[in-house]
Amino acid sequence: MTKATVGEALVAGLKARGVTCVFGIPGVHTVELYRGLAASGIRHVTPRHEQGAGFMADGYARVSGQPGVAFVITGPGLTNTLTPMAQARADSVPMLVVSGVNASPTLGKGHGHLHELPDQHTLAKTVALVSEHVSQPEHLEAALDRAFAPFTAGRPGPAHIQIPLDVAGTAAQDGPACPAPAQPPLDPVQITQAAARLSAAAKVVILAGGGARTADAELQALAERLDAPVVQTVNARGLMHGHPLTVPASPSLQAVRGLIEDADCVLALGTELGPTDYDMYATGSAAAMAGLIRVDICPQQLARRQAALAIQGRTSEAIPALLAALPGTSNQGQGARRAGQARAAAFEEIGPEYRAQVEVLNAMRAAVPNALFAGDSTQPIYAGNLYYDHDRPGGWFNAATGYGALGYGIPAAIGAAIAAPGTPVICIAGDGGAQFSLPEIMAAADENLPVTFVIWNNRGYGEIATSMEAVDVKVVGCDPTPPDFAATARSFGIPFTRVPMEPQAVAEALRAASRSGAPSIVEIEITGPVPGQE
């Protein structure tokens, strides 16, 4: 029997670790990595650009909870994937990028080999939590173990493995494994201390971040026990949908800052307290947080901001522990009133234009309940990030916070659809951002995925043009001509609908599109003057 190659052993190792889908574009430098893929049962999805592969892996990971995996070639394949890796790192998304690299004897020589970089491994290390170079066949198993370690212990993010051309096709060799580090248990003394502080407080506010998105029921029970309003960051939207204690609004808004600063104890769950959520208007500081108790899986994050009590651990484990340590009866105070006042003031604060866009989002949610909404940096996403209550935990995510990469929405929606078969997915992208990754829609057509690509067409970079005008800068470069999206849809072989920015019209178009269970494009045409072109 022929011994498996390193490439075949790689595929077997991925399958053994639960990988069921790989996003990748085959190339001459990854042929050996594909040798065992067809027979493995692992699904392969072909994007149109390596950046698309990375963003698809990101969307897949956010929805499935499992690492998204991308196969890319040496050199440009990896550099094209660095942007998705950076977005994944900013948002704690588990992603594994497997790349080739030039043959071992050529590395660092600068001889001009195809796809050569001065030091690809070091380049990947600048973004990846872990970057492994498999210099010998027997090193593969340990490299896989180390690459997967951040997905099970600590704060997740992107990992990278590179395999030289002269190693990938050689016979696999057994080598030592590298056991994954164990997640340290919660400190029971800290849990008791936190429960005592929370019990003694009269006005608790909970800040829920992306680390809490898998603990919806537990979070609701804790909030009700403490009679505490729950402020959600962008990556926590969908938690406690419609609940009287929920505040689905940005903590950067003055109304929400006021709620936080009025608290006598703030409990932050799985949030890094970063400025794109807590200081998006660049005031230089977030809201003051009295008696701050932080729960986070990452000790480095806990060390970056002083807190009265910092608890390392998973939010999904800490919340039940806190509930068990708290008194058995719920507080009966003014939590719902405080939350309601903050919601009303926040919605008023975002202004009439954004309120109109939120009404469109609400109509979309009502038209396609329990859908996944993946977005790009575009006006309705900015509006929703400021104020929007989604109806599915983990069902609202976009690249308009954290690293802020354009071109994210379309491929991320494709990855999300693959992670949740049969679930309707709504992608919201602007006409400008959509042009970063428009060809990826063809991958949705190939896979016949139930994704409705909603294009917010204001004929340019409207948000940037408005920002330039606001500081008296002459608007330049914000009017790239959009394509004919109807003709584009025809070229993809998928349905197309154009509607005005009117909630009922948008809802009807989305209902019709979602019933088909296949990809389609809905263009929302924004009429009126374009900023900078009046």
Side-chain angles (χ1 to χ4, degrees):
M1 181 177 180
T2 305
K3 191 172 180 62
T5 65
V6 169
E8 290 173 311
L10 167 73
V11 172
L14 293 176
K15 185 172 183 179
R17 289 165 174 81
V19 174
T20 59
C21 183
V22 166
F23 304 92
I25 302 176
V28 293
H29 282 192
T30 55
V31 167
E32 286 298 334
L33 305 186
Y34 277 79
R35 182 175 293 279
L37 196 60
S40 70
I42 294 176
R43 182 178 185 176
H44 184 272
V45 176
T46 306
R48 275 28 181 190
H49 189 278
E50 289 92 357
Q51 180 172 282
F55 285 145
M56 287 180 192
D58 178 301
Y60 177 91
R62 292 191 198 228
V63 173
S64 70
Q66 301 300 313
V69 180
F71 276 13
V72 300
I73 63 165
T74 307
L78 179 68
T79 54
N80 284 339
T81 317
L82 288 175
T83 294
M85 292 171 71
Q87 185 73 49
R89 180 152 185 166
D91 286 348
S92 304
V93 176
M95 175 192 296
L96 174 62
V97 174
V98 181
S99 74
V101 71
N102 289 95
S104 303
T106 73
L107 296 180
K109 301 294 177 59
H111 290 163
H113 290 275
L114 180 66
H115 303 329
E116 184 177 16
L117 282 167
D119 191 342
Q120 180 176 292
H121 191 205
T122 296
L123 180 62
K125 285 180 178 179
T126 64
V127 177
L129 295 175
V130 175
S131 180
E132 293 290 324
H133 176 79
V134 181
S135 60
Q136 301 292 334
E138 61 269 23
H139 295 168
L140 175 64
E141 189 67 18
L144 281 166
D145 287 340
R146 286 190 290 268
F148 273 78
F151 308 150
T152 56
R155 185 186 187 194
H160 168 246
I161 296 175
Q162 65 177 26
I163 303 178
L165 297 180
D166 57 317
V167 174
T170 60
Q173 302 291 332
D174 293 335
C178 181
Q183 180 67 31
L186 292 167
D187 184 337
V189 173
Q190 288 187 316
I191 293 294
T192 300
Q193 291 172 341
R197 287 174 178 269
L198 292 166
S199 297
K203 291 191 290 187
V204 177
V205 166
I206 297 173
L207 307 178
R213 66 181 177 270
T214 60
D216 185 47
E218 296 87 347
L219 178 63
Q220 179 174 321
L222 180 63
E224 291 172 350
R225 182 79 63 86
L226 297 171
D227 193 41
V230 178
V231 176
Q232 304 165 5
T233 67
V234 169
N235 285 331
R237 297 295 175 82
L239 292 169
M240 295 176 56
H241 170 65
H243 194 280
L245 289 171
T246 196
V247 183
S250 170
S252 291
L253 293 170
Q254 288 301 319
V256 183
R257 283 187 173 216
L259 173 70
I260 296 169
E261 292 184 341
D262 188 50
D264 56 0
C265 186
V266 175
L267 175 61
L269 300 170
T271 171
E272 67 177 0
L273 303 175
T276 57
D277 270 307
Y278 291 86
D279 188 30
M280 65 173 293
Y281 296 109
T283 66
S285 64
M289 300 178 188
L292 176 62
I293 301 170
R294 290 193 69 184
V295 178
D296 200 282
I297 198 170
C298 178
Q300 289 80 19
Q301 279 295 337
L302 291 173
R304 287 174 185 148
R305 176 165 180 149
Q306 187 173 2
L309 188 58
I311 302 171
Q312 184 184 353
R314 298 183 188 279
T315 297
S316 58
E317 296 172 359
I319 296 177
L322 286 170
L323 278 166
L326 286 166
T329 57
S330 298
N331 289 342
Q332 297 297 322
Q334 299 295 316
R337 179 187 62 80
R338 292 159 56 214
Q341 289 176 340
R343 287 194 301 270
F347 191 61
E348 181 66 23
E349 184 181 335
I350 66 175
E353 184 175 352
Y354 274 168
R355 286 198 296 271
Q357 293 170 21
V358 171
E359 293 300 340
V360 172
L361 294 175
N362 290 339
M364 294 168 67
R365 181 192 63 214
V368 191
N370 208 38
L372 297 163
F373 280 41
D376 221 319
S377 295
T378 188
Q379 287 181 327
I381 292 297
Y382 296 139
N385 285 351
L386 284 174
Y387 190 104
Y388 172 66
D389 189 10
H390 197 55
D391 63 353
R392 176 186 180 126
W396 172 269
F397 56 92
N398 55 76
T401 60
Y403 193 62
L406 266 171
Y408 172 87
I410 289 172
I414 292 169
I418 290 169
T423 301
V425 179
I426 311 297
C427 170
I428 303 174
D431 61 288
Q435 293 181 72
F436 278 53
S437 53
L438 195 62
E440 302 300 349
I441 294 178
M442 200 65 226
D446 284 348
E447 302 290 330
N448 195 34
L449 299 173
V451 183
T452 302
F453 299 95
V454 178
I455 309 297
W456 184 270
N457 189 358
N458 59 8
R459 306 183 305 286
Y461 301 135
E463 192 73 18
I464 305 304
T466 299
S467 298
M468 295 173 82
E469 287 182 336
V471 293
D472 198 28
V473 172
K474 176 70 175 176
V475 176
V476 175
C478 293
D479 57 350
T481 302
D484 181 337
F485 288 107
T488 301
R490 284 196 301 272
S491 74
F492 291 152
I494 63 177
F496 171 83
T497 306
R498 180 182 291 117
V499 295
M501 196 198 90
E502 194 281 317
Q504 188 58 37
V506 174
E508 290 174 2
L510 284 188
R511 270 193 292 267
S514 66
R515 281 196 293 267
S516 72
S520 62
I521 294 176
V522 172
E523 178 185 356
I524 300 178
E525 189 172 36
I526 311 303
T527 58
V530 178
Q533 300 180 39
E534 293 88 343

